[in-house]
């Protein structure tokens, strides 16, 4: 491992995100003036400790993927703080950013588009090593590629093949191998298994937990699939319309969800319809536009327990014992009251 | 989704209705097309109702640019102006060499040398000549028309001098006494006096005092006084530049308030008037009933009746038929001229009888001619061929300022030019490219021009490979090898003719010179670039042509006069030939009348050119005018003169021939239709069989 | 160095380059599969195109000596191409019909009776040989133009698509300006302004044809820019240049090949129209056709010149058009899915 | 919507300015006024005359504006004259270019409108026909014929058709046109003149068009909603006409609207060969005569029409397909 000065101080989390906002401008008029914003991510706080798995859960379109990409600055966020290994990634100039985010890598959702179809597996995996100067020469890097492939339970001689010759699961393993090639401490897994068959999902998840054990990796697990979360994550953040509405340890969350939205989510699994596996929640109405989020509580338009207050006042994250929730109901300490 | 379903249900009823209506319409239009195919199909480009009138149909390639008689200088404009305007003098229709006869002047004047050394020509105008009817006369208080007066001629000459008219022939008239002075005074006064500028031209001219050498005395007497001898002035008077122009027309047609420009609206006193003018596409000339030839057939004026005598052979050619001799002109009622830019379609239409003669000289129709006569098939169709030598010269020129081919190297480069001249086989050239049309040129002078000698053979204009090779050794290029590079001598040939046709023609010369070991590269550029090269003298060999303005040797010989050098003065001496001896002889010859002494001087010049070889003379064009049998009295002119007032045509015969030649052939249409069906039908059948 | 030596050198470079591409393609199985698919679908078209390429190469290799030049002294110092050596260059004086023994108009006997498969032209040149030689010019027009246009399009299109913002605005403005001017008029204007040579004609054709591909390249780059593998590469520390060269450009290559084949026929056809306007390339079929305009109106008509050029042009275009379809089907992921 | 249209127009205006600059560079910076003058005045013109001519036509100004004298340059005159549609007079024959263009427009439209409409209808009908019989030999043959048609140079079409239909079979005049015919309403004669050029025009473009339409249709035929419609019992013909044709409108519209400027400018080759005095023909004349003043106006007008057509296409998208959003 390189990067000595950027080592996390003891007790300090590996990744600390505060108030992350990513807005996309809406342009209109003759001169394309910005008339508004799509608030894809609107004030998200996440903390990930070394070696820990944190899940970021939400319906599609809630901004979780944008949040994942924004904190690595693949998309430029509007404001916020992303402390990673003691440095604020958002304040770094481009050159330093490159080195700073080496130890934070990402595994992508779509196994089709995450690997360059024109490159051999060897070159895909070795790219990071080449540019960061890991390994002395080409031969050594090739050797490491072989190791990595075996590590993700592929064969070393697969390295001379092209991506299209592999199945989805295999490709995802290649993606993981690539991420591992630069010796990261944090992996952002962006829906890393959602596109795979259930059986293969399990295999990949097993592999991930194995890797975590061996390499002391931290995972930020972005998904819409709560069943996966239960299996892997230690802590869970639930997102709705660009905001975190509830955060708790996995165990507590599944046992006693605080936010009506979370409750709705949990009631939806397991689903029978294989196409609707995951979070297709039986709430009334459509998801509001994040360009024009509802006033007051963002969930009030669909909340089964909506109160007058919710329409006017915006709830803050309320600290409960070791967990948080963005709901006035939690404020009153009357969790679970209205479930029946 | 709901909307879609709705439209599905409601659409069905009206849909079938619609398709039924569509079917009916389709059938009807198909029937209409078939009907058109059977009855309306014809290749005639004219409305039917005109077929019995005496209308002459002609075509033109390039649109006339400007119809101001003082300014226009193109063949396409001459074709209109020469018919609309009457000139002081004219050329005899049949006689060769060209002979001047009276036009609106009763006779051709003789020069009178005055005491101060100036030369006077006096003209007696015919009385009671009228202009065509035109609204411009009424606009200035007149009637439909008015008489042609000597004052109109004075006005026309003043216009030639007017810097604002910017006449291209200014120089040619500058020998008139007071001509240049008038132009200068006019320009100065205009500069000084803004009020003067606003006056109509006629009043401006009058205020400056006119040209002292151009005088009218009374309505019908007119005089020209030349400061220097310039006998060629009479030839200029046979052209439209100095034709009488009514001042009313110039003043009225100013382009304002919806009126035409004068340059688009000629008003003259000639045999025809312009009745319709769609500049880019077509124009119509109608017989002018005010013309003196029509109003006064009893005058038997030389330019208004069919000639009674002609050149030798004309009678045998049927050019002096009894029913026309001495009859008043014109015979043709209307001349319709249509634009045909491409030569193939134009000639095709001629063959189909839709043009009466093919005046355009194009290689494409020469195949109809075998040797000197028409092919049998064409003769059988009643076509006639008219041949005449044109007063022009086509030549290859050397740039005499060039270090290799020019005069700088003296005898060496002369030998090179001589050798190259010996290789160009004009007979073969004309055989391949012009079907033998063209008289091999021995000197700049074409037949029909004073000084032309049919017996004369230029010793450097017959092919002689041996002698040329010897001359190459003399020039310092034995076997064509340039000792500097040890490779064949490289020369460049410049042209602005980028057409594929031109490419082949230049290749002919290149091939000829290759036999001497000279490698000539053709560089065909666009006109601008070519002009630039010519102007700057950055060229070696070029091809050029010159068409005479008037039939006088001076008009050819001055092409090599050093004062006319293209590089120095922008003149037409494109070879930049400069020879003191030649210049001296030229000045002597230029102002002389056609006499023996003049002939001698010209022989001397000829010998000089023969030796110096600034040019390789190629040929003088022969115009072959092909015409249909129903067009009569046609003698091809060598100069570009509009002579159709002498022509006549038999409209009934033309109508008959046209129908006979243009019966459409229909069976291939049915064959095609049948074949199409035969291919598609089985496919459709199997398709439906498989469906079921 | 003389032009024929340059030409030989170019042929050598082309052959080496071709061999290199062949090896690269055979090792790369996406390309190999595409080639196989094209070959399976349109073997005829592939063969015909190969024949044209072969003719063009044969006409580009030249050397001096060993030919009977007759009276032509200069020719002894000139290089003669392999094609001319193979098919001979029997000269007549003027027109003769295909396989005729006598001249067409003059009826005088020919020097090489019965040897002119397509007859001879106005200067007695063998039309068959000229038709074959036209292949080189056509391929030169298509090839040289693409060689200018495609890199130009990539040079503008990729940065516009990748970096967006100002660069995109500028490139888009240039594109819409150029695209607003009618192709033919722009072509003519450029050739009139720059003079007349093969290179200028190709340049003019390139200027008028790069915009279309630039637009495609720009759009595709915009799409590729958002691909996950590009994001991954960025996280892997790849610089912008590396990303463009390694991840964007190779994924545009199939479009380059498709565009090249589809553009080709249009270029050769445009040249024919230019030839009619007097700005064609020497020795092209377009020039032969333009010449034939007059020849057909002769009576009896000279048809073999336009016939030879027409057949040569038609054969190439037909083959290239079919090949274009096949290549597009083989390489374009969209059509591949459908078929 | 208004803002969208305005923005498109503003961008169009900007493009026009760019086009004008390009035209200026091509026509003035690369060709010198001296040459133009000589060309206009003819071979026999003298030096002083050329100067006079240049002054008269305003070509005696400096090309580019200088700091010392920002106004009075050719560049400025160029922009002012074209933007104000004061085209001035032709270099070659001094006739007002505006009038020439107005006169030529009629003939061009007389040729191109029938050509455009019949080409469109024929292309669509043939494409529908071929798409209807897709995957039979009619389809294969249709596509083959299209490629065949695309592989023939338009020059060959013109020369060949004049030779066969006019010269040999004598169905139509070889060439010609009469502007009076339109005014007189002599439809028979007009039809006779136009039949051949229209046929050639349609023939030369039907291959590419038909093939394009066919691809669009076949793509639509394979969509779900068409299958649904068919499953609901709609006849094949109805499916083709009502569903496929309607839904293929967007790509077809794109192709068609772009072709509209050509209606006004006519076809260079067709007009020149068939002697139709339209704008195309005027352009060919201008090329042959190096008449830059006319050529530059023609380029400008074409570009203008093209830009307008582009804007029209963008707007028409929103009308045809409500799914296309304005932003």
């Amino acid at each position: 491992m390189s990067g000595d000065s950027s080592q996390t101080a003891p007790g300090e989390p590996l990744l600390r995100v505060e108030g992350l906002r990513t807005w996309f401008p809406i342009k209109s008029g003759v001169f394309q003036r910005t008339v508004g914003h799509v608030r894809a991510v609107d004030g998200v706080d996440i903390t990930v400790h070394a070696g820990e798995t944190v899940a970021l859960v939400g319906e599609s379109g809630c901004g979780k993927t944008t949040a994942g990409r924004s904190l690595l600055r693949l998309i430029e966020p509007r404001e916020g703080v992303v402390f990673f290994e003691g440095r604020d990634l958002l304040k770094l100039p481009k050159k330093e950013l490159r080195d700073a985010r080496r130890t934070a890598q990402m595994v992508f959702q779509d196994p089709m588009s995450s690997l360059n179809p024109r490159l051999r597996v060897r070159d895909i995996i070795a790219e990071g090593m080449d540019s960061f100067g890991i390994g002395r020469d080409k031969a050594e890097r090739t050797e490491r590629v072989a190791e990595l492939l075996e590590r993700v339970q592929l064969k070393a001689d697969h390295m001379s093949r092209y991506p299209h010759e592999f199945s989805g699961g295999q490709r995802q393993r290649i993606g993981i191998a690539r991420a591992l090639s630069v010796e990261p401490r944090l992996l952002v897994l962006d829906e890393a298994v959602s596109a795979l068959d259930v059986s293969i999902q399990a295999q990949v998840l097993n592999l991930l937990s194995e890797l975590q054990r061996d390499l002391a990796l931290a995972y930020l697990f972005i998904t819409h699939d709560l069943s996966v979360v239960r299996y892997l994550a230690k802590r869970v953040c639930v997102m709705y319309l660009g905001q975190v509405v509830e955060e708790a340890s996995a165990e507590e969350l599944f046992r006693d969800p605080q936010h009506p939205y979370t409750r709705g989510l949990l009631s939806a699994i397991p689903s029978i319809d294989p196409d609707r596996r995951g979070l297709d929640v039986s709430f009334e109405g459509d998801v509001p536009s994040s360009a024009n989020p509802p006033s007051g509580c963002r969930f009030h338009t669909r909340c089964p327990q909506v109160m007058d207050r919710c329409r006017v006042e915006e709830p803050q994250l309320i600290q409960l014992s070791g967990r948080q929730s963005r709901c006035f109901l939690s404020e009153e300490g009357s969790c679970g009251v209205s479930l029946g | 989704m709901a909307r879609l379903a709705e439209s599905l249900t409601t659409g069905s009823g009206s849909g079938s209705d619609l398709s039924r209506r569509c079917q009916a319409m389709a059938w009807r239009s198909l029937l209409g097309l078939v009907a058109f195919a059977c009855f309306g199909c014809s290749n005639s480009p004219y409305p039917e109702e005109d077929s019995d009138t005496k209308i002459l149909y002609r075509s033109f390639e390039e649109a006339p640019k400007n119809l101001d008689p003082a300014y226009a200088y193109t063949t396409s404009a001459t074709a209109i102006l020469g018919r609309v305007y009457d000139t002081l003098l004219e050329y005899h229709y049949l006689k060769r060499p060209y002979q001047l006869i009276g036009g609106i002047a009763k006779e051709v004047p003789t020069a009178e040398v005055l005491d101060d050394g100036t030369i006077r020509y006096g003209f007696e105008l015919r009385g009671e000549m009228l202009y065509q009817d035109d609204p411009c006369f009424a606009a200035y208080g007149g009637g439909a028309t008015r008489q042609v007066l000597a004052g109109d001629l004075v006005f026309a000459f003043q216009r030639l001098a007017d810097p604002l008219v910017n006449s291209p022939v200014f120089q040619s008239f500058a020998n008139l006494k007071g001509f240049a002075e008038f132009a200068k005074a006019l320009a100065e006064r205009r500069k000084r006096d803004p009020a003067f500028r606003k006056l109509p031209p006629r009043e401006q001219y009058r205020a400056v005092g006119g040209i002292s050498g151009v005088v009218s005395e009374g309505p019908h007497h007119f005089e020209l006084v030349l400061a220097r001898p310039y006998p060629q002035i009479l030839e200029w008077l046979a052209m439209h530049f100095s034709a009488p122009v009514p001042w009313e027309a110039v003043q009225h047609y100013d382009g304002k308030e919806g009126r035409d420009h004068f340059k688009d609206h000629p008003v003259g006193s000639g045999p025809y008037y312009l009745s319709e003018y769609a500049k880019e596409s077509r124009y119509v000339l109608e017989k002018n009933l005010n013309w003196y030839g029509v109003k006064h057939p009893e005058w038997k004026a030389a330019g208004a009746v069919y000639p009674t005598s002609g050149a030798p052979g004309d009678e045998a050619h049927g050019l002096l038929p009894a029913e026309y001799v001495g009859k008043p002109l014109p015979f043709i009622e209307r001349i319709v001229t249509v634009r045909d830019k491409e030569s193939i379609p134009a000639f095709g239409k001629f063959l189909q009888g839709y043009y009466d003669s093919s005046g355009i000289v194009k290689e494409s129709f020469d195949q109809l001619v075998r040797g000197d006569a028409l092919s049998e098939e064409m003769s059988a169709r009643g076509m006639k061929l008219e041949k005449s030598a044109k007063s022009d010269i086509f030549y290859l020129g050397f740039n005499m300022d060039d270090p290799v081919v020019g005069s700088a190297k003296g005898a060496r480069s002369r030998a090179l030019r001589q050798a190259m001249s010996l290789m160009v086989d004009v007979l073969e050239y004309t055989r391949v490219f012009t079907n033998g049309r063209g008289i091999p040129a021995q000197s700049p002078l074409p037949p029909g021009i004073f000084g032309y000698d049919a017996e004369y053979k230029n010793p450097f204009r017959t092919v002689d490979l041996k002698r040329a090779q010897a001359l190459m050794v003399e020039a310092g290029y034995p076997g064509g090898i340039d000792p500097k590079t040890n490779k064949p001598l490289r020369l460049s040939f410049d042209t602005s003719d980028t057409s594929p046709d031109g490419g082949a023609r230049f290749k002919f010369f290149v091939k000829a010179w290759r036999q001497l070991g000279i490698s000539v590269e053709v560089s065909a550029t666009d006109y601008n670039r070519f002009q630039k090269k010519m102007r700057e003298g950055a060229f070696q060999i070029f091809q050029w042509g010159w068409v005479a303005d008037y039939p006088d040797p001076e008009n050819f010989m001055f092409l090599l006069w050093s004062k006319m050098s293209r590089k120095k003065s922008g003149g037409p001496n494109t070879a930049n030939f400069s020879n003191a001896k030649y210049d001296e002889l030229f000045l002597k010859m230029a102002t002389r009348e056609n006499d023996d002494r003049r002939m001698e001087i010209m022989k001397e010049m000829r010998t000089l050119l023969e030796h110096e070889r600034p040019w390789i003379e190629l040929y003088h064009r022969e115009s072959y005018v092909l015409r249909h049998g129903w067009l009569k009295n046609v003698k091809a002119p060598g100069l570009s003169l509009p002579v159709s007032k002498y022509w006549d045509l038999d409209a009934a015969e033309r109508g008959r021939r046209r129908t006979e030649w243009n019966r459409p052939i229909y069976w291939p249409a049915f064959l095609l239709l049948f074949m199409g069906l035969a291919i598609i039908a089985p496919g459709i059948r199997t398709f439906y069989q498989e469906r079921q | 160095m003389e032009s024929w030596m340059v030409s030989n050198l170019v042929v050598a470079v082309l052959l080496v380059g071709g061999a290199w591409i062949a090896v690269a393609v055979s090792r790369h199985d996406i390309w190999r599969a595409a080639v196989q698919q094209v070959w399976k679908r349109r073997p005829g078209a592939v063969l015909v195109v190969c024949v044209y390429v072969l003719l063009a190469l044969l006409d580009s290799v030249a050397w001096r000596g060993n030919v009977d030049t007759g009276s032509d002294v200069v020719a002894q110092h000139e290089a003669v191409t392999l094609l001319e050596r193979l098919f001979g260059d029997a000269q007549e004086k003027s027109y003769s019909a295909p396989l005729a023994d006598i001249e067409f108009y003059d009826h005088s006997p020919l020097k090489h009776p019965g040897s002119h498969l397509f007859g001879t032209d106005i200067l007695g040149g063998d039309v068959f040989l000229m038709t074959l030689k036209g292949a080189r010019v056509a391929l030169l027009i298509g090839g040289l133009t693409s060689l200018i246009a495609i890199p130009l399009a990539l040079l503008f299109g990729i940065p516009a698509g990748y970096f967006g913002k100002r660069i995109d605005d500028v490139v888009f403005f240039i594109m819409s300006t150029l695209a607003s001017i009618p192709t033919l008029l722009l072509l003519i204007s450029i050739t009139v302004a720059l003079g007349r040579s093969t290179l200028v004609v190709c340049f003019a054709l390139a200027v008028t044809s790069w915009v279309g591909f630039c637009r495609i390249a720009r759009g595709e780059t915009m799409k590729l820019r958002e691909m996950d593998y590009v994001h991954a590469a960025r996280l892997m520390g790849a610089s912008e240049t590396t990303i463009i060269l390694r991840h964007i450009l190779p994924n545009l290559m199939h479009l380059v090949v498709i565009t090249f084949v589809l553009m080709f026929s249009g270029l050769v056809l445009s040249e024919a129209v230019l030839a009619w306007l007097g700005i064609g390339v020497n020795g092209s079929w377009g020039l032969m056709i333009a010449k034939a305009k007059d020849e057909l109106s002769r009576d009896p008509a000279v048809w073999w010149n336009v016939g030879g050029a027409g057949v040569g042009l038609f054969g190439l275009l037909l083959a290239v058009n079919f090949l274009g379809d096949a290549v597009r089907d083989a390489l374009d992921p969209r059509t591949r899915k459908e078929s | 919507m208004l803002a969208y249209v305005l923005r498109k127009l503003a961008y169009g205006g900007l493009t026009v300015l760019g086009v004008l600059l390009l035209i200026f560079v091509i026509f003035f910076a690369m060709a010198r006024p001296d040459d133009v003058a000589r060309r206009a005045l003819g071979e026999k013109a003298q030096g002083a005359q050329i100067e006079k001519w240049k002054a008269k036509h305003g070509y005696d100004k400096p090309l580019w504006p200088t700091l010392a004298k920002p106004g009075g340059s050719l560049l400025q005159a160029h922009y002012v004259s074209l933007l104000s549609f004061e085209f001035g007079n032709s270099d070659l024959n001094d006739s007002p270019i505006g009038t020439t263009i107005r006169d030529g427009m009629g003939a061009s439209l007389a040729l191109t409108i029938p050509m455009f409409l019949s080409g469109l209808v024929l292309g669509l009908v043939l494409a529908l026909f071929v798409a209807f019989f897709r995957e039979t030999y009619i389809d294969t043959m249709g596509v083959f014929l299209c490629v065949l048609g695309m592989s023939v140079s338009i020059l060959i079409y013109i020369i060949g058709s004049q030779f066969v239909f006019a010269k040999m079979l004598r169905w139509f005049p070889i060439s010609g046109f009469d502007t009076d015919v339109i005014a007189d309403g002599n439809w028979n004669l007009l039809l006779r003149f136009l039949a051949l050029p229209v046929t050639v025009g349609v023939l030369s473009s039907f291959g590419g068009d038909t093939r394009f339409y066919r691809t669009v249709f076949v793509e639509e035929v394979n969509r779900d909603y068409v299958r649904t419609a068919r499953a609901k019992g709609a006849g094949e013909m109805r499916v083709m006409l009502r569903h496929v044709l309607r839904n293929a409108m967007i790509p077809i519209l794109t192709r068609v609207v772009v072709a509209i400027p050509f209606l006004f400018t006519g076809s260079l080759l067709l007009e020149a060969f068939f002697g139709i005095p339209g704008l195309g023909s005027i352009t060919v004349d201008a090329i042959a005569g190096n008449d830059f003043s006319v050529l530059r106006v023609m380029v400008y007008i074409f570009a203008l029409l093209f830009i307008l057509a582009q804007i029209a296409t963008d707007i028409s998208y929103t009308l045809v397909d409500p799914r296309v959003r304005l932003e």
Side-chain angles (χ1 to χ4, degrees), chain B residues 226-411:
Chain B
L226 291 174
R228 293 169 288 280
Y230 184 61
Q232 290 86 7
I233 189 90
L234 292 182
E235 321 265 8
W236 284 105
L237 298 183
M239 281 185 271
H240 58 71
F241 298 106
S242 56
V245 171
W247 57 269
E248 291 94 334
V250 177
Q251 214 153 313
H252 183 67
Y253 293 112
D254 53 1
K256 284 174 197 140
E257 291 162 28
R259 295 187 292 266
D260 287 344
H261 281 280
F262 178 61
K263 68 179 173 61
D264 296 328
H265 192 119
V267 179
S269 57
Y272 293 93
Y273 70 93
L274 189 63
S275 66
E276 189 191 324
Y277 182 46
K279 230 180 276 185
E280 300 291 329
S281 57
R282 106 195 203 109
Y283 59 85
V284 178
L285 294 165
E286 204 87 40
K287 184 171 170 181
N288 177 14
L289 297 175
N290 289 354
W291 189 46
Y292 71 86
V294 179
K295 286 236 151 158
H296 302 286
E298 74 280 3
W299 289 356
K300 301 255 174 213
V305 289
Y306 198 84
T308 46
S309 62
D314 280 349
E315 190 140 24
H317 272 94
L319 280 167
L320 288 166
E323 67 263 41
Y324 288 111
V325 167
K327 291 276 148 48
L329 306 174
F331 304 115
I332 287 169
E333 299 288 324
R334 192 188 301 160
I335 304 172
V336 175
T337 312
V338 185
R339 179 108 189 249
D340 235 323
K341 261 183 262 183
E342 294 293 323
S343 58
I344 311 175
F347 188 67
K349 273 190 266 181
F350 165 73
L351 285 183
Q352 291 168 343
Y354 295 118
Y355 291 134
D356 297 309
S357 69
S358 200
I360 326 156
V361 186
K362 273 277 168 193
E363 288 87 73
S364 45
F365 68 76
D366 304 329
Q367 307 307 320
L368 307 173
V369 184
R370 295 268 177 274
D372 266 358
L374 267 181
S375 71
E376 277 166 32
E377 192 201 342
M378 293 301 137
S379 306
R381 299 178 90 183
M383 279 183 202
K384 296 271 160 47
L385 180 71
E386 304 300 332
K387 264 172 66 178
S388 75
K390 287 205 161 196
S391 299
D392 59 13
I393 167 100
F394 280 79
Y395 61 92
L396 300 174
F398 293 101
N399 177 13
M400 297 302 283
D401 287 343
D402 185 76
V404 182
V405 299
S407 52
K409 275 195 190 160

Side-chain angles (χ1 to χ4, degrees), chain B residues 342-344 364 367 428 431-433 479 481 487-488 498 500 504 507 511 514-515 517-519 524 526 529, chain C residues 2 71-74 77-78 91 103 105-106 122-123 192-193 195-196 276 278 291 293-294 297-299:
Chain B
E342 294 293 323
S343 58
I344 311 175
S364 45
Q367 307 307 320
E428 179 69 12
R431 186 183 81 87
V432 172
F433 294 105
I481 302 297
K487 276 189 200 137
T498 57
K507 230 167 123 185
K511 268 172 78 178
R514 280 170 80 103
Q515 294 175 43
I518 304 171
S519 159
D526 59 278
R529 235 164 267 273
Chain C
E2 294 192 32
S71 61
D72 195 337
V73 181
V74 178
H77 299 270
E78 278 179 351
Q91 277 285 331
E103 237 184 87
Y105 291 117
D106 210 31
I122 188 162
L123 284 176
V192 165
R196 223 179 66 107
W276 175 73
K291 235 191 287 189
K293 178 173 64 118
D294 280 336
S297 72
R298 285 171 178 258
D299 206 15

Side-chain angles (χ1 to χ4, degrees), chain B residues 14 76 114 117 241 250 316 362 443 445 551 585 627 650 664 692:
Chain B
S14 63
S76 52
L114 301 182
F241 298 106
V250 177
K362 273 277 168 193
S443 83
L445 295 179
L585 289 168
R627 62 175 167 98
D650 183 346
Q692 283 159 7

Side-chain angles (χ1 to χ4, degrees), chain B residues 452-505:
Chain B
Y452 175 75
D453 182 357
E455 301 301 310
Y456 168 66
K457 289 278 169 288
N458 187 328
F460 287 100
R461 291 301 300 116
T462 37
V463 182
D464 189 341
L465 182 61
K466 286 256 162 58
R467 189 164 162 218
Q469 279 167 341
L471 280 166
M472 284 303 281
V473 178
E474 226 173 279
Y477 307 105
I481 302 297
D482 186 350
K484 264 187 241 148
T485 57
N486 222 4
K487 276 189 200 137
L489 175 64
R490 284 186 79 87
L491 297 177
S492 66
F493 187 113
D494 283 289
T495 170
S496 65
D497 184 354
T498 57
S499 72
D501 199 36
R505 280 187 278 118

Side-chain angles (χ1 to χ4, degrees), chain C residues 254-291:
Chain C
H254 67 284
L255 289 177
V256 168
V257 174
I258 293 170
T259 311
F260 174 72
V261 183
L262 294 183
M263 213 161 82
F264 193 90
S265 59
L267 293 174
V268 178
L269 281 174
S270 304
E271 194 276 339
V273 173
L274 282 186
W276 175 73
L277 286 167
I279 14 188
V281 173
N282 260 341
S284 74
W285 290 318
L287 219 56
M288 287 170 79
I289 293 172
K291 235 191 287 189

Side-chain angles (χ1 to χ4, degrees), chain B residues 44 341 349 527 566 665, chain D residues 39 43 137 171 175 192 281:
Chain B
S44 168
K341 261 183 262 183
K349 273 190 266 181
Y527 188 83
R566 167 58 51 96
I665 303 169
Chain D
R39 181 81 192 197
E43 202 37 58
Y137 87 95
W171 291 355
S175 73
R192 214 186 281 165
S281 175

Side-chain angles (χ1 to χ4, degrees), chain A residues 69 74 98 101 105-106 108 113-120 123 127-128 131-132 162 164-165 178-179, chain C residues 27-31 226-229 231-240 242 246-247 250-251 254:
Chain A
R69 292 183 183 205
L74 288 176
R98 174 176 172 268
R101 71 181 172 194
Q105 289 298 331
M106 199 157 175
F108 296 89
S113 74
S114 63
L115 305 177
N116 184 345
R118 306 281 177 210
L119 289 181
R120 284 168 206 278
D123 296 327
E127 180 166 32
S131 57
F132 287 116
Y162 287 95
H164 68 93
E165 295 171 62
R178 168 175 63 190
Chain C
R27 283 177 48 191
H28 213 306
D29 42 348
I30 298 175
W31 293 105
E226 297 306 324
M227 292 301 265
D228 284 341
Y229 60 79
H231 286 309
R234 211 167 281 144
L235 287 176
M236 290 296 154
S239 65
E240 309 287 24
T242 317
R246 241 172 107 93
H247 298 283
N251 285 292
H254 67 284

